mmCIF file of all heavy atoms in Angstrom:
data_model
loop_
_atom_site.group_PDB
_atom_site.id
_atom_site.type_symbol
_atom_site.label_atom_id
_atom_site.label_comp_id
_atom_site.label_asym_id
_atom_site.label_seq_id
_atom_site.Cartn_x
_atom_site.Cartn_y
_atom_site.Cartn_z
ATOM 1 N N LYS A 164 -71.710 -35.107 -24.620
ATOM 2 C CA LYS A 164 -73.044 -34.698 -24.149
ATOM 3 C C LYS A 164 -73.350 -33.262 -24.583
ATOM 4 O O LYS A 164 -74.470 -32.964 -25.005
ATOM 5 C CB LYS A 164 -73.133 -34.821 -22.622
ATOM 6 C CG LYS A 164 -73.086 -36.248 -22.081
ATOM 7 C CD LYS A 164 -74.242 -37.107 -22.571
ATOM 8 C CE LYS A 164 -74.409 -38.398 -21.769
ATOM 9 N NZ LYS A 164 -75.307 -39.346 -22.437
ATOM 10 N N SER A 165 -72.356 -32.353 -24.469
ATOM 11 C CA SER A 165 -72.595 -30.959 -24.902
ATOM 12 C C SER A 165 -72.944 -30.930 -26.378
ATOM 13 O O SER A 165 -73.859 -30.211 -26.802
ATOM 14 C CB SER A 165 -71.335 -30.097 -24.726
ATOM 15 O OG SER A 165 -70.863 -30.156 -23.441
ATOM 16 N N GLY A 166 -72.189 -31.700 -27.164
ATOM 17 C CA GLY A 166 -72.418 -31.718 -28.608
ATOM 18 C C GLY A 166 -73.813 -32.208 -28.949
ATOM 19 O O GLY A 166 -74.524 -31.598 -29.758
ATOM 20 N N VAL A 167 -74.221 -33.282 -28.308
ATOM 21 C CA VAL A 167 -75.528 -33.840 -28.664
ATOM 22 C C VAL A 167 -76.647 -32.922 -28.171
ATOM 23 O O VAL A 167 -77.695 -32.811 -28.813
ATOM 24 C CB VAL A 167 -75.675 -35.296 -28.168
ATOM 25 C CG1 VAL A 167 -75.926 -35.403 -26.684
ATOM 26 C CG2 VAL A 167 -76.791 -35.998 -28.951
ATOM 27 N N GLU A 168 -76.418 -32.212 -27.075
ATOM 28 C CA GLU A 168 -77.443 -31.252 -26.619
ATOM 29 C C GLU A 168 -77.649 -30.167 -27.681
ATOM 30 O O GLU A 168 -78.782 -29.776 -27.981
ATOM 31 C CB GLU A 168 -77.046 -30.639 -25.273
ATOM 32 C CG GLU A 168 -77.209 -31.610 -24.105
ATOM 33 C CD GLU A 168 -77.136 -30.941 -22.732
ATOM 34 O OE1 GLU A 168 -77.045 -29.694 -22.664
ATOM 35 O OE2 GLU A 168 -77.189 -31.670 -21.724
ATOM 36 N N GLY A 169 -76.545 -29.678 -28.264
ATOM 37 C CA GLY A 169 -76.659 -28.669 -29.332
ATOM 38 C C GLY A 169 -77.451 -29.220 -30.510
ATOM 39 O O GLY A 169 -78.345 -28.561 -31.048
ATOM 40 N N PHE A 170 -77.123 -30.449 -30.892
ATOM 41 C CA PHE A 170 -77.816 -31.094 -32.008
ATOM 42 C C PHE A 170 -79.326 -31.183 -31.748
ATOM 43 O O PHE A 170 -80.148 -30.854 -32.607
ATOM 44 C CB PHE A 170 -77.226 -32.495 -32.226
ATOM 45 C CG PHE A 170 -78.054 -33.388 -33.100
ATOM 46 C CD1 PHE A 170 -78.336 -33.045 -34.421
ATOM 47 C CD2 PHE A 170 -78.572 -34.588 -32.602
ATOM 48 C CE1 PHE A 170 -79.110 -33.885 -35.225
ATOM 49 C CE2 PHE A 170 -79.348 -35.415 -33.404
ATOM 50 C CZ PHE A 170 -79.623 -35.069 -34.711
ATOM 51 N N ILE A 171 -79.689 -31.590 -30.550
ATOM 52 C CA ILE A 171 -81.117 -31.789 -30.229
ATOM 53 C C ILE A 171 -81.876 -30.456 -30.290
ATOM 54 O O ILE A 171 -83.018 -30.398 -30.773
ATOM 55 C CB ILE A 171 -81.275 -32.469 -28.849
ATOM 56 C CG1 ILE A 171 -80.742 -33.907 -28.895
ATOM 57 C CG2 ILE A 171 -82.730 -32.426 -28.364
ATOM 58 C CD1 ILE A 171 -81.527 -34.895 -29.739
ATOM 59 N N ARG A 172 -81.245 -29.375 -29.837
ATOM 60 C CA ARG A 172 -81.931 -28.069 -29.914
ATOM 61 C C ARG A 172 -82.196 -27.687 -31.372
ATOM 62 O O ARG A 172 -83.263 -27.164 -31.702
ATOM 63 C CB ARG A 172 -81.110 -26.993 -29.198
ATOM 64 C CG ARG A 172 -81.257 -27.053 -27.684
ATOM 65 C CD ARG A 172 -80.618 -25.865 -26.996
ATOM 66 N NE ARG A 172 -79.176 -25.990 -26.928
ATOM 67 C CZ ARG A 172 -78.518 -26.648 -25.952
ATOM 68 N NH1 ARG A 172 -79.171 -27.215 -24.969
ATOM 69 N NH2 ARG A 172 -77.204 -26.709 -25.957
ATOM 70 N N HIS A 173 -81.226 -27.946 -32.233
ATOM 71 C CA HIS A 173 -81.425 -27.629 -33.656
ATOM 72 C C HIS A 173 -82.462 -28.561 -34.285
ATOM 73 O O HIS A 173 -83.293 -28.129 -35.087
ATOM 74 C CB HIS A 173 -80.092 -27.687 -34.411
ATOM 75 C CG HIS A 173 -79.239 -26.499 -34.108
ATOM 76 N ND1 HIS A 173 -79.219 -25.375 -34.907
ATOM 77 C CD2 HIS A 173 -78.434 -26.220 -33.056
ATOM 78 C CE1 HIS A 173 -78.414 -24.463 -34.370
ATOM 79 N NE2 HIS A 173 -77.933 -24.960 -33.238
ATOM 80 N N LEU A 174 -82.396 -29.823 -33.896
ATOM 81 C CA LEU A 174 -83.384 -30.789 -34.399
ATOM 82 C C LEU A 174 -84.797 -30.330 -34.041
ATOM 83 O O LEU A 174 -85.715 -30.360 -34.874
ATOM 84 C CB LEU A 174 -83.093 -32.170 -33.780
ATOM 85 C CG LEU A 174 -83.989 -33.305 -34.247
ATOM 86 C CD1 LEU A 174 -83.658 -33.704 -35.688
ATOM 87 C CD2 LEU A 174 -83.835 -34.521 -33.333
ATOM 88 N N ALA A 175 -84.960 -29.888 -32.794
ATOM 89 C CA ALA A 175 -86.276 -29.426 -32.337
ATOM 90 C C ALA A 175 -86.765 -28.263 -33.196
ATOM 91 O O ALA A 175 -87.940 -28.201 -33.585
ATOM 92 C CB ALA A 175 -86.198 -29.016 -30.865
ATOM 93 N N ALA A 176 -85.844 -27.345 -33.510
ATOM 94 C CA ALA A 176 -86.221 -26.169 -34.309
ATOM 95 C C ALA A 176 -86.627 -26.579 -35.723
ATOM 96 O O ALA A 176 -87.522 -25.990 -36.328
ATOM 97 C CB ALA A 176 -85.061 -25.176 -34.357
ATOM 98 N N GLU A 177 -85.973 -27.611 -36.235
ATOM 99 C CA GLU A 177 -86.257 -28.043 -37.610
ATOM 100 C C GLU A 177 -87.544 -28.874 -37.716
ATOM 101 O O GLU A 177 -88.218 -28.835 -38.745
ATOM 102 C CB GLU A 177 -85.082 -28.891 -38.154
ATOM 103 C CG GLU A 177 -83.795 -28.104 -38.368
ATOM 104 C CD GLU A 177 -82.641 -29.001 -38.839
ATOM 105 O OE1 GLU A 177 -82.883 -30.171 -39.196
ATOM 106 O OE2 GLU A 177 -81.495 -28.513 -38.838
ATOM 107 N N THR A 178 -87.853 -29.640 -36.675
ATOM 108 C CA THR A 178 -88.917 -30.653 -36.835
ATOM 109 C C THR A 178 -90.229 -30.338 -36.114
ATOM 110 O O THR A 178 -91.203 -31.070 -36.293
ATOM 111 C CB THR A 178 -88.420 -32.041 -36.340
ATOM 112 O OG1 THR A 178 -88.092 -31.935 -34.956
ATOM 113 C CG2 THR A 178 -87.218 -32.517 -37.122
ATOM 114 N N GLY A 179 -90.245 -29.264 -35.332
ATOM 115 C CA GLY A 179 -91.481 -28.914 -34.626
ATOM 116 C C GLY A 179 -92.654 -28.763 -35.572
ATOM 117 O O GLY A 179 -93.780 -29.191 -35.271
ATOM 118 N N GLN A 180 -92.391 -28.195 -36.740
ATOM 119 C CA GLN A 180 -93.465 -27.971 -37.721
ATOM 120 C C GLN A 180 -94.077 -29.274 -38.230
ATOM 121 O O GLN A 180 -95.161 -29.276 -38.803
ATOM 122 C CB GLN A 180 -92.915 -27.151 -38.901
ATOM 123 C CG GLN A 180 -91.834 -27.876 -39.671
ATOM 124 C CD GLN A 180 -91.076 -26.971 -40.625
ATOM 125 O OE1 GLN A 180 -91.676 -26.312 -41.462
ATOM 126 N NE2 GLN A 180 -89.754 -26.918 -40.484
ATOM 127 N N PHE A 181 -93.373 -30.389 -38.045
ATOM 128 C CA PHE A 181 -93.896 -31.697 -38.475
ATOM 129 C C PHE A 181 -94.488 -32.493 -37.319
ATOM 130 O O PHE A 181 -94.743 -33.699 -37.448
ATOM 131 C CB PHE A 181 -92.784 -32.512 -39.157
ATOM 132 C CG PHE A 181 -92.127 -31.790 -40.296
ATOM 133 C CD1 PHE A 181 -90.815 -31.340 -40.200
ATOM 134 C CD2 PHE A 181 -92.841 -31.528 -41.465
ATOM 135 C CE1 PHE A 181 -90.217 -30.654 -41.252
ATOM 136 C CE2 PHE A 181 -92.250 -30.841 -42.521
ATOM 137 C CZ PHE A 181 -90.941 -30.398 -42.414
ATOM 138 N N GLY A 182 -94.645 -31.861 -36.168
ATOM 139 C CA GLY A 182 -95.227 -32.558 -35.023
ATOM 140 C C GLY A 182 -94.223 -33.419 -34.276
ATOM 141 O O GLY A 182 -94.603 -34.276 -33.466
ATOM 142 N N VAL A 183 -92.945 -33.193 -34.555
ATOM 143 C CA VAL A 183 -91.899 -34.000 -33.904
ATOM 144 C C VAL A 183 -91.171 -33.123 -32.879
ATOM 145 O O VAL A 183 -90.603 -32.088 -33.234
ATOM 146 C CB VAL A 183 -90.879 -34.537 -34.941
ATOM 147 C CG1 VAL A 183 -89.763 -35.330 -34.252
ATOM 148 C CG2 VAL A 183 -91.592 -35.402 -35.983
ATOM 149 N N THR A 184 -91.213 -33.532 -31.619
ATOM 150 C CA THR A 184 -90.515 -32.778 -30.580
ATOM 151 C C THR A 184 -89.210 -33.481 -30.212
ATOM 152 O O THR A 184 -89.055 -34.690 -30.410
ATOM 153 C CB THR A 184 -91.371 -32.623 -29.308
ATOM 154 O OG1 THR A 184 -91.523 -33.907 -28.689
ATOM 155 C CG2 THR A 184 -92.726 -32.015 -29.613
ATOM 156 N N ALA A 185 -88.288 -32.704 -29.656
ATOM 157 C CA ALA A 185 -86.999 -33.261 -29.211
ATOM 158 C C ALA A 185 -86.585 -32.522 -27.945
ATOM 159 O O ALA A 185 -86.460 -31.290 -27.959
ATOM 160 C CB ALA A 185 -85.952 -33.089 -30.303
ATOM 161 N N ASN A 186 -86.413 -33.268 -26.879
ATOM 162 C CA ASN A 186 -86.050 -32.667 -25.592
ATOM 163 C C ASN A 186 -84.921 -33.455 -24.938
ATOM 164 O O ASN A 186 -84.673 -34.617 -25.281
ATOM 165 C CB ASN A 186 -87.271 -32.649 -24.663
ATOM 166 C CG ASN A 186 -88.322 -31.652 -25.119
ATOM 167 O OD1 ASN A 186 -88.140 -30.440 -25.030
ATOM 168 N ND2 ASN A 186 -89.434 -32.155 -25.650
ATOM 169 N N ILE A 187 -84.292 -32.798 -23.992
ATOM 170 C CA ILE A 187 -83.123 -33.376 -23.317
ATOM 171 C C ILE A 187 -83.418 -33.531 -21.834
ATOM 172 O O ILE A 187 -83.897 -32.594 -21.185
ATOM 173 C CB ILE A 187 -81.915 -32.420 -23.479
ATOM 174 C CG1 ILE A 187 -81.573 -32.222 -24.956
ATOM 175 C CG2 ILE A 187 -80.706 -32.918 -22.677
ATOM 176 C CD1 ILE A 187 -80.852 -30.918 -25.255
ATOM 177 N N LEU A 188 -83.109 -34.712 -21.319
ATOM 178 C CA LEU A 188 -83.214 -34.962 -19.881
ATOM 179 C C LEU A 188 -81.781 -35.084 -19.361
ATOM 180 O O LEU A 188 -81.090 -36.060 -19.673
ATOM 181 C CB LEU A 188 -83.979 -36.269 -19.687
ATOM 182 C CG LEU A 188 -84.866 -36.465 -18.481
ATOM 183 C CD1 LEU A 188 -85.802 -35.295 -18.264
ATOM 184 C CD2 LEU A 188 -85.665 -37.759 -18.650
ATOM 185 N N ALA A 189 -81.340 -34.078 -18.637
ATOM 186 C CA ALA A 189 -79.947 -34.061 -18.138
ATOM 187 C C ALA A 189 -79.931 -34.638 -16.731
ATOM 188 O O ALA A 189 -80.383 -34.002 -15.774
ATOM 189 C CB ALA A 189 -79.402 -32.641 -18.163
ATOM 190 N N LEU A 190 -79.420 -35.864 -16.624
ATOM 191 C CA LEU A 190 -79.492 -36.589 -15.352
ATOM 192 C C LEU A 190 -78.360 -36.189 -14.409
ATOM 193 O O LEU A 190 -77.260 -35.858 -14.835
ATOM 194 C CB LEU A 190 -79.408 -38.098 -15.600
ATOM 195 C CG LEU A 190 -80.423 -38.701 -16.568
ATOM 196 C CD1 LEU A 190 -80.262 -40.215 -16.599
ATOM 197 C CD2 LEU A 190 -81.847 -38.317 -16.188
ATOM 198 N N GLY A 191 -78.686 -36.296 -13.128
ATOM 199 C CA GLY A 191 -77.659 -36.238 -12.101
ATOM 200 C C GLY A 191 -77.213 -37.656 -11.776
ATOM 201 O O GLY A 191 -77.531 -38.609 -12.501
ATOM 202 N N HIS A 192 -76.505 -37.812 -10.688
ATOM 203 C CA HIS A 192 -75.954 -39.126 -10.321
ATOM 204 C C HIS A 192 -77.062 -40.152 -10.053
ATOM 205 O O HIS A 192 -77.996 -39.871 -9.312
ATOM 206 C CB HIS A 192 -75.069 -38.984 -9.082
ATOM 207 C CG HIS A 192 -73.852 -38.144 -9.343
ATOM 208 N ND1 HIS A 192 -73.767 -36.823 -8.974
ATOM 209 C CD2 HIS A 192 -72.691 -38.442 -9.956
ATOM 210 C CE1 HIS A 192 -72.599 -36.339 -9.347
ATOM 211 N NE2 HIS A 192 -71.922 -37.296 -9.947
ATOM 212 N N GLN A 193 -76.910 -41.324 -10.646
ATOM 213 C CA GLN A 193 -77.924 -42.375 -10.552
ATOM 214 C C GLN A 193 -77.498 -43.493 -9.597
ATOM 215 O O GLN A 193 -76.311 -43.690 -9.335
ATOM 216 C CB GLN A 193 -78.176 -42.978 -11.943
ATOM 217 C CG GLN A 193 -78.655 -41.975 -12.966
ATOM 218 C CD GLN A 193 -79.992 -41.370 -12.605
ATOM 219 O OE1 GLN A 193 -80.983 -42.074 -12.481
ATOM 220 N NE2 GLN A 193 -80.036 -40.056 -12.424
ATOM 221 N N LYS A 194 -78.513 -44.238 -9.177
ATOM 222 C CA LYS A 194 -78.326 -45.313 -8.196
ATOM 223 C C LYS A 194 -77.266 -46.341 -8.599
ATOM 224 O O LYS A 194 -76.568 -46.886 -7.742
ATOM 225 C CB LYS A 194 -79.671 -46.043 -8.029
ATOM 226 C CG LYS A 194 -79.994 -46.315 -6.595
ATOM 227 C CD LYS A 194 -81.339 -47.008 -6.471
ATOM 228 C CE LYS A 194 -81.656 -47.129 -5.007
ATOM 229 N NZ LYS A 194 -83.008 -46.824 -4.668
ATOM 230 N N ASN A 195 -77.142 -46.602 -9.917
ATOM 231 C CA ASN A 195 -76.195 -47.650 -10.324
ATOM 232 C C ASN A 195 -74.738 -47.288 -10.043
ATOM 233 O O ASN A 195 -73.858 -48.133 -10.128
ATOM 234 C CB ASN A 195 -76.392 -48.029 -11.799
ATOM 235 C CG ASN A 195 -76.113 -46.877 -12.753
ATOM 236 O OD1 ASN A 195 -76.073 -45.724 -12.356
ATOM 237 N ND2 ASN A 195 -75.908 -47.200 -14.017
ATOM 238 N N LEU A 196 -74.488 -46.018 -9.687
ATOM 239 C CA LEU A 196 -73.113 -45.636 -9.327
ATOM 240 C C LEU A 196 -72.654 -46.342 -8.058
ATOM 241 O O LEU A 196 -71.457 -46.491 -7.821
ATOM 242 C CB LEU A 196 -73.018 -44.112 -9.131
ATOM 243 C CG LEU A 196 -73.111 -43.273 -10.405
ATOM 244 C CD1 LEU A 196 -73.020 -41.799 -10.064
ATOM 245 C CD2 LEU A 196 -72.026 -43.654 -11.401
ATOM 246 N N GLU A 197 -73.646 -46.792 -7.255
ATOM 247 C CA GLU A 197 -73.294 -47.512 -6.020
ATOM 248 C C GLU A 197 -72.473 -48.765 -6.323
ATOM 249 O O GLU A 197 -71.683 -49.201 -5.498
ATOM 250 C CB GLU A 197 -74.571 -47.903 -5.257
ATOM 251 C CG GLU A 197 -75.168 -46.720 -4.529
ATOM 252 C CD GLU A 197 -76.546 -47.023 -3.938
ATOM 253 O OE1 GLU A 197 -77.160 -48.044 -4.312
ATOM 254 O OE2 GLU A 197 -77.000 -46.219 -3.115
ATOM 255 N N GLU A 198 -72.702 -49.332 -7.550
ATOM 256 C CA GLU A 198 -71.944 -50.543 -7.931
ATOM 257 C C GLU A 198 -70.545 -50.178 -8.413
ATOM 258 O O GLU A 198 -69.671 -51.032 -8.512
ATOM 259 C CB GLU A 198 -72.662 -51.280 -9.074
ATOM 260 C CG GLU A 198 -74.051 -51.766 -8.719
ATOM 261 C CD GLU A 198 -74.968 -51.826 -9.941
ATOM 262 O OE1 GLU A 198 -74.480 -51.925 -11.079
ATOM 263 O OE2 GLU A 198 -76.197 -51.745 -9.736
ATOM 264 N N LYS A 199 -70.344 -48.897 -8.753
ATOM 265 C CA LYS A 199 -69.080 -48.525 -9.413
ATOM 266 C C LYS A 199 -68.145 -47.718 -8.529
ATOM 267 O O LYS A 199 -66.981 -47.530 -8.868
ATOM 268 C CB LYS A 199 -69.377 -47.699 -10.675
ATOM 269 C CG LYS A 199 -70.269 -48.393 -11.689
ATOM 270 C CD LYS A 199 -70.536 -47.493 -12.892
ATOM 271 C CE LYS A 199 -71.542 -48.111 -13.847
ATOM 272 N NZ LYS A 199 -71.940 -47.230 -14.927
ATOM 273 N N MET A 200 -68.663 -47.162 -7.424
ATOM 274 C CA MET A 200 -67.846 -46.245 -6.606
ATOM 275 C C MET A 200 -67.820 -46.690 -5.152
ATOM 276 O O MET A 200 -68.784 -47.288 -4.670
ATOM 277 C CB MET A 200 -68.464 -44.846 -6.620
ATOM 278 C CG MET A 200 -68.279 -44.100 -7.900
ATOM 279 S SD MET A 200 -69.081 -42.475 -7.697
ATOM 280 C CE MET A 200 -68.641 -41.717 -9.223
#
Side-chain angles (χ1 to χ4, degrees):
K164 292 299 195 193
S165 305
V167 76
E168 286 193 5
F170 166 61
I171 293 292
R172 282 189 283 274
H173 285 265
L174 183 72
E177 292 177 11
T178 61
Q180 64 193 305
F181 305 110
V183 178
T184 68
N186 290 289
I187 299 155
L188 212 49
L190 305 185
H192 295 100
Q193 301 297 300
K194 224 179 185 137
N195 63 343
L196 288 179
E197 283 171 346
E198 298 151 23
K199 302 179 186 173
M200 286 180 175

